[in-house]
Amino acid sequence: MINADNQQFSSSGVARARAPQSLGAESWYRNSGKRLFDATASTLGLIVLTPVLLIVAVMIFLYDRGKPIFVHRRLGQDGESFGCLKLRSMAMNAEERLQGMLESSPEMRQEWEESQKLTNDPRVTRIGKFLRKTSLDELPQLFNVLKGEMSLVGPRPIVQDELPRYGSDAIVYLRVRPGLTGLWQTTG
C-alpha cells in the first residue's frame, strides 16, 4: 500500500520510493533540462495567454458571481500533495450536488466509482462545457508548471482516492511530475 507521502508499507516497515539515479545526458535532461524547458515554456505561455485567462475568468465570474479559479488537491512527484489550478467549469455547489446525485442514482454512482467522471454531468455550466471541450480550463496549470509542481508533459494529476487503481505501478507513476498534457489528454 502507498500513501500520499509515496511511502510503501509492508510487514518489514516503510520504504520511501525514489527514482533510480542515472548518469550522463539522460540524467541532466531528467533532473535539469526538462525543468528548465518547463519553466521557460510556461513563462512564455503565461505571457502570451494571460489576456485569454483574464477574459475567461471574467466571463466565469459574470456567469454566476463565483470564483473563477478552482483549486483541487492532487498528488504530484514523490506523492507530494499540491493545489492543481483550473478554471472553474462547474456550478458553485458542485461537490454537494455530486453527493446528492450519487445517493439518488445507482447508475451515476457506478459510473463515478469506475471513472471518477460522469458522462453527462449536470453540474457542468454552459461556459464550462466550452472550456472543457477546448481544454482552456487547464490553462491556469501553467502556474503549477512554473512553480515546479507539474510538468508540461506527463501523467495525469490524480487525487489520493485514485492511487489504489494503479496497484504496484503507483510507485512508478509517482516518480515523475504530473503533466498539463500527456497521453490521457490527447486520447480523450
Side-chain angles (χ1 to χ4, degrees), residues 115-183:
S115 65
Q116 299 288 296
K117 291 183 179 183
L118 297 175
T119 305
N120 295 308
D121 195 332
R123 302 171 301 154
V124 178
T125 63
R126 284 186 313 191
I127 193 168
K129 288 178 185 174
F130 171 76
L131 292 174
R132 287 179 170 201
K133 186 174 184 175
T134 59
S135 295
L136 288 173
D137 60 326
E138 311 284 348
L139 285 181
Q141 291 172 18
L142 287 169
F143 288 106
N144 293 114
V145 174
L146 189 60
K147 288 172 58 179
E149 298 165 329
M150 292 179 67
S151 183
L152 289 174
V153 178
R156 187 176 76 84
I158 60 172
V159 296
Q160 177 69 42
D161 291 346
E162 291 177 272
L163 197 56
R165 293 179 185 196
Y166 294 87
S168 62
D169 292 328
I171 293 171
V172 176
Y173 189 90
L174 294 173
R175 284 184 182 163
V176 297
R177 286 184 187 95
L180 179 103
T181 190
L183 184 61

Side-chain angles (χ1 to χ4, degrees), residues 10 30-31 51 60 92-93 140 148 165:
S10 66
R30 278 202 282 164
N31 295 326
I60 294 168
M92 286 294 296
N93 60 349
R165 293 179 185 196

Side-chain angles (χ1 to χ4, degrees), residues 11-183:
S11 58
S12 62
V14 177
R16 185 113 173 132
R18 293 277 183 193
Q21 296 299 317
S22 299
L23 301 173
E26 180 182 329
S27 177
W28 181 86
Y29 173 76
R30 278 202 282 164
N31 295 326
S32 302
K34 188 168 194 255
R35 178 70 194 118
L36 179 63
F37 174 78
D38 284 345
T40 303
S42 62
T43 299
L44 293 172
L46 284 167
I47 290 169
V48 171
L49 296 171
T50 294
V52 174
L53 276 168
L54 290 173
I55 290 168
V56 175
V58 168
M59 290 172 60
I60 294 168
F61 176 77
L62 293 175
Y63 182 78
D64 63 4
R65 301 289 190 233
K67 293 179 182 179
I69 302 291
F70 177 72
V71 181
H72 199 242
R73 299 306 301 173
R74 301 292 175 113
L75 294 179
Q77 187 175 25
D78 297 325
E80 295 292 327
S81 178
F82 72 97
C84 188
L85 303 173
K86 293 185 84 163
L87 287 169
R88 186 171 52 82
S89 60
M90 292 189 174
M92 286 294 296
N93 60 349
E95 292 299 317
E96 296 84 21
R97 287 180 64 187
L98 175 64
Q99 294 309 313
M101 292 180 330
L102 297 181
E103 289 171 8
S104 65
S105 172
E107 296 84 16
M108 281 186 170
R109 176 174 286 286
Q110 181 179 355
E111 183 180 1
W112 181 259
E113 288 173 354
E114 289 173 2
S115 65
Q116 299 288 296
K117 291 183 179 183
L118 297 175
T119 305
N120 295 308
D121 195 332
R123 302 171 301 154
V124 178
T125 63
R126 284 186 313 191
I127 193 168
K129 288 178 185 174
F130 171 76
L131 292 174
R132 287 179 170 201
K133 186 174 184 175
T134 59
S135 295
L136 288 173
D137 60 326
E138 311 284 348
L139 285 181
Q141 291 172 18
L142 287 169
F143 288 106
N144 293 114
V145 174
L146 189 60
K147 288 172 58 179
E149 298 165 329
M150 292 179 67
S151 183
L152 289 174
V153 178
R156 187 176 76 84
I158 60 172
V159 296
Q160 177 69 42
D161 291 346
E162 291 177 272
L163 197 56
R165 293 179 185 196
Y166 294 87
S168 62
D169 292 328
I171 293 171
V172 176
Y173 189 90
L174 294 173
R175 284 184 182 163
V176 297
R177 286 184 187 95
L180 179 103
T181 190
L183 184 61

